[in-house]
């Protein structure tokens, strides 16, 4: 039964992490505060659900050595913000919150990819998403002028897809 619960939670971690990552791309390339705040809140919620739910069902929560530098760096940033060592405490807090979102998706990925099937699913999902994003970008390029998603003006740039600059879109497509 524990193996079944572990597969269930690995599937949850996969879809939560993958969904949030793809949502970040769709939400104007996560370039706006509204986008990254929404995605980070979803990641924190998904991590909390995973940790509480899996632990309640007796699923062992994994620890990987890659988490040590992540935790150490987060502690350093927290110390800079808490003891006002930073020249810009508000920006340090913003960075800490974004870093916590990155830590959440890192842990979701570590949990999800303990199941090899999820890695195969990732390839399929990214393949379809990349194709859909490319089609959307072409359609937007020919019909929206200099608007992102047909409503957000980007007259100062060369928008394509959810990105303000075509090079950012190209970089995203390369990574996908």
């Amino acid at each position: 039964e524990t193996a079944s619960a572990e597969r269930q939670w690995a599937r949850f971690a996969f879809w939560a992490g993958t969904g949030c990552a793809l949502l970040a791309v769709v939400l104007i390339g996560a370039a706006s505060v509204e986008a990254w705040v929404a995605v980070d809140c979803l990641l924190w919620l998904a991590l909390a659900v995973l940790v509480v739910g899996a632990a309640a069902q007796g699923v062992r929560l994994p620890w990987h050595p890659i988490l040590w530098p992540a935790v150490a760096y987060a502690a350093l940033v927290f110390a800079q913000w808490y003891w006002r060592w930073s020249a810009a405490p508000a920006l340090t807090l913003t960075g800490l919150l974004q870093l916590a979102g990155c830590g959440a998706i890192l842990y979701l990925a570590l949990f999800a990819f303990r199941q090899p099937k999820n890695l195969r699913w990732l390839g399929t999902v990214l393949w379809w998403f990349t194709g859909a994003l490319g089609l959307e970008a072409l359609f937007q390029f020919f019909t929206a002028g200099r608007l992102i998603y047909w409503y957000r003006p980007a007259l100062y740039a060369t928008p394509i897809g959810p990105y303000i600059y075509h090079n950012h879109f190209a970089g995203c497509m390369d990574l996908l």
Side-chain angles (χ1 to χ4, degrees):
E1 183 174 314
T2 302
S4 173
E6 185 173 330
R7 281 192 304 275
Q8 172 192 358
W9 286 109
R11 194 170 328 133
F12 169 81
F14 170 78
W15 287 110
T18 303
C20 286
L22 298 180
L23 182 65
V25 171
V26 170
L27 290 177
I28 311 172
S32 66
V33 172
E34 299 86 7
W36 72 257
V37 166
V39 171
D40 279 349
C41 287
L42 287 173
L43 285 168
W44 299 331
L45 176 64
L47 181 62
V49 168
L50 173 72
V51 168
V52 171
Q57 289 185 340
V59 175
R60 188 182 66 80
L61 298 172
W63 183 261
H64 191 278
I66 200 168
L67 293 172
W68 286 116
V71 169
Y73 185 68
L76 174 66
V77 174
F78 178 80
Q80 288 177 339
W81 170 74
Y82 186 78
W83 283 296
R84 304 286 191 235
W85 296 338
S86 172
L91 292 176
T92 304
L93 179 60
T94 299
L96 181 62
L97 294 174
Q98 288 177 327
L99 183 64
C102 292
I105 200 165
L106 173 64
Y107 195 82
L108 288 169
L110 285 172
F111 197 97
F113 295 129
R114 293 190 317 172
Q115 300 288 325
K117 184 177 183 180
N118 286 339
L119 195 53
R120 288 190 298 277
W121 267 105
L122 180 65
T124 303
V125 169
L126 291 181
W127 187 82
W128 281 102
F129 179 80
T130 302
L133 186 63
L135 289 173
E136 183 278 327
L138 286 172
F139 185 66
Q140 179 181 300
F141 179 78
F142 288 114
T143 62
R146 293 202 168 211
L147 299 174
I148 298 175
Y149 291 140
W150 295 271
Y151 77 91
R152 187 172 183 162
L155 303 175
Y156 50 88
T158 54
I160 186 160
Y163 289 91
I164 296 169
Y165 294 107
H166 62 282
N167 287 337
H168 295 170
F169 177 76
C172 174
M173 295 301 274
D174 282 342
L175 291 172
L176 289 172

